[in-house]
Every structure is written in C-alpha cells, then in structure tokens.
Amino acid sequence: MDELRVLIIDDHALLGESLARFLGSNDMQAVWCGDLARAMQSIRDQSWSVVLLDLSMPQGNGLDLLKRIKLMHPDLPVLILSMHPEQQFALRALRGGAAGYLTKGCSPDVLVEAIQKVVHGGRYLTPGVAEQLANYMNEGEAAEEPHARLSDREMQVFMRLVEGKSVNQVADELHISCKTVSTHKTRLMHKLALDNDADLVRYAMHQGIVS
C-alpha cells in the first residue's frame, strides 16, 4: 500500500512538528505547515491522503478553510484536531465537510485509528459526537443548544468573548473591524436571548464551554 501523506495545518510549531514526527514513526509521510497561504498552496500543488486541521488559526477561520479545501478537493478527507470540546464544534465541522473531529487531548492511538478510517472513506466519530449526530438527525435544530445555531463567525466571536477578550482583541485575532465584531456580538446576544456580558459568561459556564 502507498505511504499515507498527511498535511498538518496548525499554528503551534511544537505541536505540529511533534505530530509530524509521531506520524512518521507510524509509517506515514507527515508535513507540518503553520501558514495558511502555504498550506493552501501545498493542497493545490501536491497530493495528500488526509489533512489534519486546527480550527483556531490566527491568520483565518478554520471552518472557512475547511470549506475552501472541500471546494478544491471534495474527496480529500479533512480531520479536525482542535482544542475546543467536541460538543462545541464537532457538528458544525461535520456539516462543513469534515471527515471527523478529535480534540487535542485524544490519545495517539486514537489519532492513528481516525486517520486510517477517514483515508479509507469512512468518518471518525467518537461516541459523544455520534450521539450528537443521532440526536440532530432525529430532532433537527430542536436537539441543538442555542449557541449551535450561531453562524460560524458569530461562534468565533462568542468563543473569544467568553474567554474574556475585548472587542478590540477579537477584532485583531479575526482580522476584522471592531464595528464588525460589535455587530456579531449584538446578533449572537439576541440569538441567545442574553442581555449583557455577565449573562454571556454565565451561559458559557452553564454549557461547559468555559470553567
């Protein structure tokens, strides 16, 4: 069987390089890329078996990048490897075309198993994600928590606000204007039926998004 070629897109050099070495020790050819422009160029110019994608990239929206990859190569499996709990982003990523969702706290054996499964055309779902997906299939949006109905950009703003970041900090990280962040904040507060920042933090704590 041909050697699997894995492109790792993550802005953390230590993690990316460590992952590349680990996968290399498991008979895979793994390349780490921490720059979105170079990553997209690599996807255009080279052949890959699977992409490991971090959702939290300072240069852009990981969910947007996922959609761009799937538009360019619909059959290329993309496995999300994120610091965010699966209950917050897994369904959103799967709907965007991801072949699976893992948190960065998963075991190395699970990562290898997930890669092997998605490169052979399957989806890798943890029991928790499978339950979420089943509930969504059975009940639709009624099965989702209110924050699951936020747009991708609203969700990005939401996650940063509940981490205690200011509107200016969020704008800098997402490369958008403060006015745009404020607009997204107003919309997400309305969708969540919340009145102020304290309500927003309490909601996030209740949902287990922050501790």
Side-chain angles (χ1 to χ4, degrees):
M1 185 176 68
D2 292 338
E3 186 178 45
L4 297 182
R5 300 192 72 241
V6 184
L7 178 62
I8 303 163
I9 305 176
D10 194 300
D11 64 306
H12 295 96
L14 182 60
L15 176 62
E17 291 174 349
S18 297
L19 272 176
R21 285 194 297 271
F22 168 72
L23 295 176
S25 70
N26 281 268
D27 301 320
M28 302 181 198
Q29 182 184 347
V31 176
W32 166 69
C33 188
D35 178 81
L36 291 189
R38 286 199 303 111
M40 291 305 296
Q41 189 67 43
S42 294
I43 291 171
R44 278 191 292 267
D45 296 345
Q46 301 181 49
S47 177
W48 300 97
S49 306
V50 62
V51 173
L52 294 185
L53 175 63
D54 180 18
L55 291 182
S56 300
M57 298 287 289
Q59 302 155 313
N61 180 348
L63 290 170
D64 285 346
L65 182 60
L66 168 63
K67 293 172 184 175
R68 288 169 60 194
I69 293 171
K70 297 306 292 184
L71 282 172
M72 190 183 302
H73 292 291
D75 296 329
L76 175 61
V78 179
L79 187 60
I80 302 300
L81 188 61
S82 175
M83 66 178 183
H84 297 298
E86 60 186 21
Q87 65 266 30
Q88 306 308 333
F89 278 102
L91 279 183
R92 192 179 295 268
L94 291 171
R95 289 199 295 259
Y101 189 101
L102 294 172
T103 64
K104 290 183 177 179
C106 73
S107 73
D109 289 343
V110 166
L111 177 59
V112 171
E113 179 186 352
I115 290 173
Q116 294 287 353
K117 185 164 187 177
V118 301
V119 298
H120 289 97
R123 275 191 170 187
Y124 189 85
L125 305 177
T126 65
V129 173
E131 183 178 359
Q132 282 189 67
L133 189 57
N135 289 339
Y136 181 78
M137 295 292 289
N138 289 333
E139 303 176 38
E141 290 188 354
E144 295 184 313
E145 298 293 349
H147 61 271
R149 300 166 200 167
L150 301 177
S151 71
D152 290 345
R153 182 62 89 185
E154 288 166 352
M155 189 66 176
Q156 288 183 312
V157 171
F158 168 73
M159 293 296 292
R160 285 163 173 79
L161 290 174
V162 299
E163 289 170 357
K165 293 175 181 175
S166 68
V167 168
N168 286 342
Q169 288 173 314
V170 175
D172 287 342
E173 287 192 12
L174 297 180
H175 304 286
I176 56 179
S177 70
C178 292
K179 181 179 179 181
T180 300
V181 173
S182 295
T183 298
H184 286 308
K185 181 180 178 182
T186 299
R187 289 174 179 167
L188 70 88
M189 295 284 280
H190 176 72
K191 289 181 179 180
L192 299 178
L194 302 175
D195 295 323
N196 52 53
D197 290 351
D199 288 343
L200 193 66
V201 173
R202 277 193 291 269
Y203 175 88
M205 293 179 68
H206 178 72
Q207 294 291 334
I209 298 169
V210 295
S211 56

